[in-house]
Amino acid sequence: MLSEKISRVGPYELGALIKRVGPIMVYEGYHEEVWVRRSIKVLPAVYGRPDPSIIYVSSPYLARVYEVGVEGGWSYAAEEWNPWPTLREIAKTRRLTS
């Protein structure tokens, strides 16, 4: 269920909840073996059969996807960590040029 607390998926330990995009939750996560920070998107099974292909969310960043999978009723995708502002936020403060 949505109230269920999730603390890990695959080899990733989940940290802070960064944001929610509809039913998809985006967490800060760390790969346990190499301790590298990743952006982890998870979707609970209450929204349908777990399938890693449905976790894709159009991102404002061009982000490398490292792993997708299903574990314990959760679909997840591990993407590269992008702490910088989105293009939409940059465009509000300055003019973009080619």
Side-chain angles (χ1 to χ4, degrees):
M1 293 303 206
L2 284 178
S3 62
E4 181 183 337
K5 177 74 173 128
I6 182 171
S7 62
R8 62 180 305 106
V9 289
Y12 299 95
E13 183 177 330
L14 300 182
L17 176 65
I18 307 240
K19 64 180 173 180
R20 293 180 81 114
V21 180
I24 296 173
M25 294 169 281
V26 182
Y27 286 91
E28 175 183 29
Y30 294 92
H31 192 286
E32 289 184 330
E33 294 176 14
V34 291
W35 207 250
V36 175
R37 188 185 325 196
R38 300 276 185 247
S39 173
I40 311 291
K41 295 177 182 172
V42 297
L43 179 67
V46 296
Y47 292 101
R49 196 175 110 248
D51 181 358
S53 64
I54 61 173
I55 198 67
Y56 175 76
V57 174
S58 180
S59 174
Y61 308 111
L62 297 177
R64 180 176 296 156
V65 176
Y66 292 102
E67 183 178 348
V68 293
V70 174
E71 184 174 307
W74 295 82
S75 299
Y76 71 92
E79 297 180 351
E80 106 184 279
W81 180 258
N82 288 316
W84 47 82
T86 64
L87 287 177
R88 179 179 292 161
E89 292 168 348
I90 293 171
K92 289 178 184 176
T93 59
R94 66 178 188 195
R95 185 171 174 221
L96 298 177
T97 62
S98 58

